[in-house]
Amino acid sequence: MFYLTTAIDYTNGAPHIGHAYEKVLADVLARHRRLRGDETFFLTGVDQHGQKVQQTAEREGVEPSEFVAGVTARFLALWETLGIRYDGWAATVDDRHKACVRAILDDLKAKGQLYKKAHSGHYSVRQEQFLTDRDRDESGNFGPEWGEVVLFEEENWYFKLSEHTAWLKDYLETTPDAVLPLFRKAELLNALDRNSGTDLCISRPKERLRWGIELPFDPEFVTYVWFDALINYISFAGYRAAADAGLPDFSRLWTAGERPIHIIGKDILVPAHGIYWLCMLRAMGFPDTLMPRLLVHGWWNRSGEKMSKSLGNIVDPAELAGRFGIEAVRYYLVRDIHTGRDSDFDVERLIMLFNTELANELGNLCNRALNMSQRFTGGILRTGGPETDDDRALQASLAESTAAYQAAMDDFEVSRALEAINRHVVHCNGYAERMKPWELNKNPELRDRLATVLYHLAESVAHCAVLLSPVLPDAASKLAAQLKLPGFGSFGLSDLKWGLLPDGHEIDKPQPVFPRIVIETPEGK
Ligand code: MSP
């Protein structure tokens, strides 16, 4: 079983392009694995508790529950629009999740992993965490990234995180795929060296925060939002759930055969996932063989700057999809970034990449393969004619591209996988220009040759449709429908062999699938 999750998004504001990127990336990887024939479960959702939500709801004069319901609906609508096909929806106000969090808290307390103590210290309201001297900048102050910092003295519950950090260091050092890509693991190990002596405060007194999961053993407190949110990965996977809860069977989803993958942004590796979560799992009794892998992606910025409400440079994915089409957005979000690295969001590049790689290159290939087959051979494809070196080179190019695509997808590098497909498309267009089917058509003696050339082009489109389907499900189905591709939707990547289209196969009327994006410029420009 391939069990894949994303971070669950905060419901204190509208979804933006960063949220959309992560969900599209996960959706593409999940669709790819389903296409490979692997049983796959993809979980995504929303993080609905915490101080930020309570504050925003208060500002808007509504109950937090009402407020999160509204924001959650926007996320759900966006995932529907963008074609995100998830198998499980994690919403942390769900009673099944709350019951799981409480059961875990009870267990950890029974195991002596939780204790109560009084603490006085600096607290960042924005980051919802206590600060230590390590969080001060060179001049000894808490920098603007912490927002308002207040001094608190209060009792709280703590998790004995420090009991697990030596184990964590060893686990990270000895497990090659604990954190991907590798350079992110180094960051985590550095942070661990700086951070290993402290325990984790896992509660908030109710007078300060009402909007959270009440501690089962101390009703004056609610659970710290990160402790609550991280548990979504197991609560919605059926951990400690009743058989009739409508949740998956945990032992089938969370296996050592293929350890789960959590896709997260670089900002939530340290300390939340890389330290808290792995130590929480260990304290619950998860062995090393059942530790999840963390796939850490970079950020989409604007002109090198972080996107933020205050800078007013946030990109709205729904607006973008309305302007350029859903698939243009999906394509761009996984094409113009390397998994793990940051990238700069740039509408000009979205248009350029769509127009170059899809409208021009692939569109041209489809047009040649489908249109010319319709016009020159009545839509009937023929195989079996003698093959030339050019034909064999085209087949070799397809095999190379397919292997490179597969290797890149296995490395979660969708951008490289798309480049590989594009290489083959470019090869095919070069082939068409050299073979000139429009010239072959003029000579009745070359009808066999014409059929072979058109077959090579159509067969290539068939393969590209399958390979592209995780990223562009809609365009891929349209192409497959026009080709009347036998078995599309049911066959897997291992069925991708030369000859998907049989001899004598009749294709359908072609229709443009990738209309060029044309930007209306104001008159005179
Ligand atoms: N609620 C927490 C996650 C809890 S997981 C148990 C959270 N939410 S978030 O809404 O702030 O971010 C959700 C995800 O979106 C995170 O993985 C974050 O890294 C990602 N992104 C937020 N802004 C982003 C960009 N500008 N670019 C790419 N991804 C970014 O953190």
Side-chain angles (χ1 to χ4, degrees):
M1 173 71 80
F2 180 58
Y3 175 38
L4 180 74
T5 69
T6 67
I8 51 174
D9 298 313
Y10 281 132
T11 47
N12 65 327
H16 60 67
I17 206 75
H19 301 129
Y21 160 58
E22 184 175 277
K23 284 20 171 214
V24 172
L25 173 63
D27 182 59
V28 168
L29 297 175
R31 284 175 188 264
H32 166 254
R33 292 296 291 263
R34 290 190 202 108
L35 190 62
R36 227 168 75 166
D38 299 344
E39 214 183 337
T40 299
F41 192 94
F42 165 24
L43 178 75
T44 189
V46 277
D47 188 352
Q48 296 164 306
H49 291 127
Q51 198 117 29
K52 287 183 210 169
V53 167
Q54 179 172 307
Q55 282 169 344
T56 321
E58 265 165 20
R59 261 203 312 278
E60 305 216 343
V62 290
E63 280 302 311
S65 56
E66 194 185 323
F67 178 75
V68 295
V71 180
T72 299
R74 293 184 65 175
F75 276 99
L76 284 164
L78 179 65
W79 304 152
E80 171 89 37
T81 302
L82 291 179
I84 309 298
R85 216 171 85 194
Y86 47 85
D87 304 290
W89 179 250
T92 51
V93 298
D94 190 316
D95 285 337
R96 298 169 303 177
H97 170 74
K98 291 185 189 167
C100 182
V101 172
R102 290 197 189 105
I104 290 169
L105 284 164
D106 273 334
D107 270 6
L108 291 178
K109 182 153 176 293
K111 284 183 176 172
Q113 287 288 316
L114 307 180
Y115 62 92
K116 196 176 184 181
K117 73 158 191 190
H119 173 78
S120 78
H122 291 94
Y123 184 82
S124 155
V125 178
R126 179 194 289 173
Q127 299 301 337
E128 295 179 41
Q129 69 184 72
F130 278 97
L131 303 177
T132 67
D133 285 342
R134 278 192 297 267
D135 299 314
R136 294 178 191 273
D137 59 23
E138 294 101 48
S139 30
N141 300 319
F142 296 113
E145 69 277 19
W146 299 112
E148 187 193 355
V149 175
V150 284
L151 207 67
F152 269 128
E153 156 132 1
E154 67 185 21
E155 274 202 305
N156 265 309
W157 284 88
Y158 288 81
F159 162 51
K160 290 184 181 166
L161 186 74
S162 55
E163 275 191 4
H164 304 282
T165 44
W167 159 81
L168 179 58
K169 192 161 187 281
D170 182 60
Y171 162 75
L172 292 171
E173 279 166 352
T174 53
T175 314
D177 58 357
V179 180
L180 304 162
L182 276 183
F183 70 93
R184 294 282 176 208
K185 195 203 274 188
E187 259 174 48
L188 175 54
L189 280 165
N190 283 339
L192 199 56
D193 282 341
R194 279 182 275 121
N195 222 339
S196 53
T198 41
D199 285 339
L200 173 65
C201 178
I202 58 143
S203 68
R204 298 292 180 263
K206 274 200 184 149
E207 68 253 25
R208 182 143 75 78
L209 177 67
R210 284 175 298 123
W211 185 236
I213 303 176
E214 191 177 280
L215 294 188
F217 42 79
D218 199 340
E220 295 307 306
F221 294 88
V222 296
T223 312
Y224 170 45
V225 67
W226 269 107
F227 194 91
D228 156 1
L230 288 161
I231 288 175
N232 92 86
Y233 301 130
I234 55 177
S235 63
F236 290 97
Y239 182 71
R240 303 198 51 147
D244 60 356
L247 293 167
D249 173 355
F250 188 68
S251 62
R252 286 200 60 232
L253 230 58
W254 197 282
T255 66
E258 173 152 27
R259 284 148 54 225
I261 291 208
H262 299 325
I263 301 189
I264 55 169
K266 63 177 185 180
D267 55 318
I268 56 174
L269 172 65
V270 179
H273 286 79
I275 302 179
Y276 302 163
W277 179 228
L278 298 180
C279 291
M280 282 164 68
L281 286 168
R282 174 155 193 273
M284 285 175 223
F286 282 61
D288 291 11
T289 49
L290 287 180
M291 286 294 151
R293 292 171 286 170
L294 304 176
L295 176 60
V296 186
H297 64 75
W299 272 44
W300 282 99
N301 298 321
R302 293 290 300 277
S303 315
E305 291 203 75
K306 205 170 152 167
M307 273 186 235
S308 75
K309 266 189 232 161
S310 49
L311 287 172
N313 60 358
I314 287 185
V315 182
D316 173 3
E319 191 257 342
L320 210 60
R323 247 172 98 197
F324 300 113
I326 294 152
E327 300 226 312
V329 175
R330 285 179 66 98
Y331 190 79
Y332 178 70
L333 286 182
V334 286
R335 174 66 187 89
D336 209 21
I337 193 166
H338 288 282
T339 310
R341 304 279 168 189
D342 289 353
S343 187
D344 229 60
F345 182 88
D346 182 348
V347 168
E348 301 290 321
R349 282 190 59 80
L350 181 152
I351 299 170
M352 186 279 285
L353 285 163
F354 184 90
N355 281 347
T356 312
E357 297 182 356
L358 297 178
N360 291 359
E361 290 291 354
L362 186 57
N364 215 351
L365 170 62
C366 297
N367 180 43
R368 283 166 163 164
L370 290 146
N371 252 338
M372 288 196 270
S373 293
Q374 256 336 309
R375 278 173 35 222
F376 302 160
T377 63
I380 309 284
L381 299 178
R382 288 268 165 232
T383 65
E387 281 179 0
T388 64
D389 283 351
D390 286 300
D391 303 339
R392 281 185 284 274
L394 181 143
Q395 291 175 31
S397 150
L398 179 59
E400 183 280 320
S401 280
T402 306
Y405 165 97
Q406 199 54 261
M409 290 302 266
D410 288 347
D411 287 346
F412 315 108
E413 252 291 11
V414 183
S415 181
R416 274 202 286 119
L418 291 172
E419 275 167 13
I421 301 178
N422 196 245
R423 272 201 302 283
H424 181 60
V425 172
V426 170
H427 183 105
C428 289
N429 282 325
Y431 170 89
E433 267 141 43
R434 274 177 287 120
M435 299 304 112
K436 299 190 174 36
W438 49 92
E439 296 290 334
L440 297 173
N441 184 50
K442 292 180 187 155
N443 185 345
E445 280 172 24
L446 295 174
R447 294 213 63 75
D448 277 359
R449 184 68 203 132
L450 172 65
T452 302
V453 168
L454 291 177
Y455 182 83
H456 276 71
L457 298 178
E459 177 72 8
S460 287
V461 174
H463 284 248
C464 289
V466 176
L467 294 172
L468 278 171
S469 63
V471 179
L472 306 174
D474 189 47
S477 331
K478 283 184 184 149
L479 289 176
Q482 293 175 29
L483 284 167
K484 293 196 195 151
L485 179 56
F488 181 77
S490 61
F491 65 57
L493 282 175
S494 54
D495 301 314
L496 270 190
K497 296 191 180 70
W498 189 257
L500 298 179
L501 301 168
D503 186 30
H505 183 74
E506 184 175 357
I507 60 170
D508 217 341
K509 299 260 173 315
Q511 256 146 38
V513 173
F514 302 109
R516 233 186 123 69
I517 299 175
V518 182
I519 293 299
E520 314 255 337
T521 47
E523 265 178 61
K525 285 211 172 168

